[in-house]
Amino acid sequence: MKKNSPVSRSGRFARDPGADAARFTESISFDQRLWQHDILGSLAHAAMLHKIGVLSKAEAGAITRGLDAIAREIKAGRFKWKPELEDVHMNIEAELTRRVPAGAKLHTARSRNDQVALDVRLWLRDEIILLLGEIADLQRALVSLGGKNADVLIPGYTHLQRAQPVYLAHHLLAYVEMLERDCERLWDCHSRVNVCPLGSGALAGSTLPLDRALVAKMLNFVDATGQVQLTQNSMDAVSDRDFAVEFCAAGALLAVHLSRLAEDLILWTSAEFNFIRIADAYTTGSSLMPQKKNPDIAELARGKSGRVIGNLVALLTLLKGLPMTYNRDLQEDKEPLFDTADTVRATTRLMAAMLQNITINRTACAVAANDPALLATDLADYLVRKGVPFRQAHHTVGAVVALTEALDKPLNLLTLKELRSVDKKFGSDAVDVFDLQRAMAKRNLTGAPGTTEVAKQLARWRKLLQA
Ligand code: ARG
């Protein structure tokens, strides 16, 4: 055996793995980012091994100091990762044992199978908290943009056709709601990530009297009521990646939300809409057309969602055929998981930054929102107030709209006579329907885009987000 061959091959194997096999099987190139959590787990495991008498005080102290020194070196970029040692777990353990003889006792009653499950859970737990912070920042950016332009009206669209007027803030707050559901899903996912698998061994626990609860407490695997959270089946614990799937699913939906927001912003920057302007720092130019200013950040936010959705599918596909318990296939969980975490976090952050650098073209918004056709439904409601059944009112206003087309006149400029040529129920007050401010004041149901309701929702979100 060569000096550098992994401990997992010691004794049983006469030869080192072939170079190509080692290259194919290594995970250090991507799992080294788990180093901090791997060391945290080892420190807790060592402290527990001391408590149950497997490590003497001196041995536990030596291991702790050794791990701390290694942590400092990794942080400073001075640690030499060895691909031939396969993964982050073996790299750290081998280096520790080289420095501290007691390091050879650290893996007592522990397998890389429960170790890697632990490391990924610890890492993901932190990652979720960081992502939640980014999402809250994005929500604040949306609330702030809506709040600064609280009086701006735009058309609301269905089928990408102008439908009814809404406050810009109402449109933006729709995304705040979507993002809030993303946060709820991530918190829910967090509760299942936050369960300690250590002590499950390779698949069947250990014959040694481990104190699993102590390790879990040291690593803060406790729920909101302070209850220690331990996995309850050793076989499930080493083969379960549901928590990673859940995170990737929540991430995929978040990415889809970001993509939809991006799409709205892209439309709004086009000359056809012209509702917003994105500051130069968040747009790019064309290499050929000198006049162009492109919303590439939003386009990439939209584009990256494809990869994030792919990561979820990759993970589900990875798991679907696996027999119990740990199979090396599971090493393939990391790249999609890491990529989802990195991508959604970066995208969320960039979208927030971009929103902080958007100005609203109030004139273009006002011109679009003042399209009187947006109030055709209000005209039908006018007839409903006069006792006309809605279906009939809908038909009547349809005929009125057809008349505007025939006369080439906007809806609000029809004379009373013209209106009454379609239906005698129209009175002199019918034109009041086209007073946009009044129309917005009327939309005051909970969740509606009316003036007081949107102000209320803005205030609610400002309070919730401490914005
Ligand atoms: N690098 C492995 C992974 O990421 C660690 C666990 C290896 N366990 C094993 N029995 N080979 O899944």
Side-chain angles (χ1 to χ4, degrees):
M1 295 283 288
K2 282 211 235 113
K3 230 174 61 242
N4 272 340
S5 62
V7 282
S8 60
R9 296 176 68 87
S10 133
R12 175 83 169 74
F13 294 79
R15 288 195 46 200
D16 278 355
D20 52 350
R23 240 191 333 273
F24 187 69
T25 53
E26 66 85 23
S27 57
I28 189 64
S29 54
F30 50 86
D31 69 13
Q32 58 178 270
R33 69 188 288 170
L34 296 173
W35 69 266
Q36 222 155 357
H37 300 97
D38 192 73
I39 288 177
L40 272 178
S42 288
L43 287 169
H45 187 62
M48 184 273 291
L49 290 177
H50 168 50
K51 165 104 188 303
I52 65 166
V54 171
L55 292 177
S56 70
K57 192 166 181 208
E59 287 171 329
I63 287 175
T64 302
R65 283 190 298 281
L67 287 171
D68 285 344
I70 288 173
R72 279 195 298 278
E73 285 166 34
I74 299 175
K75 196 163 184 190
R78 282 188 278 112
F79 189 82
K80 203 172 153 358
W81 299 104
K82 296 178 178 156
E84 61 274 23
L85 292 178
E86 253 182 61
D87 57 25
V88 64
H89 325 292
M90 301 240 272
N91 263 271
I92 292 174
E93 190 196 327
E95 183 55 23
L96 176 71
T97 309
R98 197 183 65 77
R99 298 176 187 193
V100 179
K105 291 190 177 180
L106 179 61
H107 214 51
T108 308
R110 187 174 71 168
S111 157
R112 271 183 301 155
N113 299 352
D114 58 351
Q115 188 178 1
V116 72
L118 174 75
D119 291 6
V120 175
R121 282 171 183 271
L122 285 170
W123 173 84
L124 188 53
R125 209 172 58 174
D126 287 352
E127 200 60 36
I128 290 173
I129 300 300
L130 293 169
L131 178 57
L132 285 165
E134 304 282 6
I135 297 175
D137 284 345
L138 175 55
Q139 288 178 305
R140 279 185 209 105
L142 287 159
V143 169
S144 156
L145 186 63
K148 271 190 289 193
N149 298 280
D151 57 330
V152 172
L153 289 162
I154 54 170
Y157 295 77
T158 62
H159 313 269
L160 203 56
Q161 306 291 318
R162 283 183 183 175
Q164 292 186 297
V166 295
Y167 282 99
L168 171 77
H170 191 62
H171 191 129
L172 297 175
L173 288 181
Y175 285 100
V176 178
E177 298 281 344
M178 290 150 86
L179 293 168
E180 190 64 13
R181 292 195 294 275
D182 290 321
C183 290
E184 288 169 15
R185 267 184 289 274
L186 287 165
W187 267 122
D188 185 50
C189 169
H190 184 275
S191 69
R192 276 178 298 281
V193 174
N194 194 28
V195 184
C196 187
L198 210 63
S200 301
L203 78 160
S206 170
T207 58
L208 296 166
L210 303 186
D211 188 342
R212 291 194 62 203
L214 177 67
V215 175
K217 251 182 267 166
M218 282 190 283
L219 294 172
N220 205 25
F221 281 106
V222 288
D223 68 8
T225 67
Q227 197 74 23
V228 175
Q229 302 294 301
L230 297 178
T231 55
Q232 298 293 313
N233 181 301
S234 61
M235 296 177 80
D236 178 42
V238 294
S239 65
D240 171 32
R241 294 295 184 272
D242 292 0
F243 61 90
V245 172
E246 286 184 43
F247 177 78
C248 285
L253 191 45
L254 167 61
V256 166
H257 291 160
L258 297 174
S259 179
R260 294 185 67 178
L261 173 58
E263 173 63 9
D264 273 345
L265 299 177
I266 292 164
L267 284 173
W268 289 354
T269 55
S270 70
E272 283 69 18
F273 278 81
N274 195 25
F275 290 173
I276 62 170
R277 210 177 143 268
I278 304 175
D280 286 1
Y282 290 88
T283 50
T284 42
S286 157
S287 55
L288 191 143
M289 299 165 284
Q291 88 283 12
K292 288 294 290 289
K293 205 186 260 187
N294 296 328
D296 288 30
I297 290 176
E299 288 172 286
L300 281 168
R302 189 176 58 186
K304 283 174 191 289
S305 65
R307 201 150 41 82
V308 176
I309 294 165
N311 289 337
L312 170 63
V313 177
L315 207 49
L316 287 167
T317 313
L318 171 71
L319 294 174
K320 83 173 185 62
L322 293 188
M324 291 294 259
T325 52
Y326 179 86
N327 299 271
R328 190 63 178 269
D329 314 46
L330 288 175
Q331 180 169 293
E332 290 285 313
D333 64 350
K334 284 167 210 63
E335 285 163 296
L337 178 65
F338 293 163
D339 184 61
T340 286
D342 293 343
T343 307
V344 293
R345 233 172 97 193
T347 310
T348 307
R349 183 172 336 122
L350 262 292
M351 288 297 272
M354 188 169 60
L355 280 163
Q356 285 154 9
N357 284 278
I358 280 178
T359 46
I360 307 298
N361 185 351
R362 302 172 74 93
T363 314
C365 291
V367 169
N370 276 290
D371 176 353
L374 293 170
L375 294 172
T377 311
D378 294 50
L379 194 60
D381 288 348
Y382 164 90
L383 292 174
V384 167
R385 284 177 211 272
K386 301 227 178 256
V388 180
F390 180 74
R391 274 292 152 236
Q392 198 183 315
H394 182 280
H395 176 86
T396 302
V397 176
V400 171
V401 171
L403 181 65
T404 63
E405 279 168 9
L407 299 174
D408 194 20
K409 242 182 168 183
L411 194 52
N412 58 333
L413 295 185
L414 287 183
T415 62
L416 182 57
K417 201 166 148 224
E418 284 161 346
L419 280 173
R420 286 173 69 91
S421 75
V422 179
D423 195 318
K424 291 276 175 284
K425 286 257 163 39
F426 286 116
S428 58
D429 53 348
V431 285
D432 296 347
V433 162
F434 298 103
D435 180 330
L436 191 53
Q437 290 311 318
R438 223 193 280 181
M440 294 319 288
K442 281 193 193 137
R443 292 159 156 74
N444 52 14
L445 302 178
T446 300
T451 313
T452 48
E453 183 58 18
V454 173
K456 221 161 78 186
Q457 294 289 343
L458 274 172
R460 179 173 76 89
W461 280 114
R462 276 203 192 102
K463 198 166 153 212
L464 279 170
L465 296 165
Q466 288 155 5

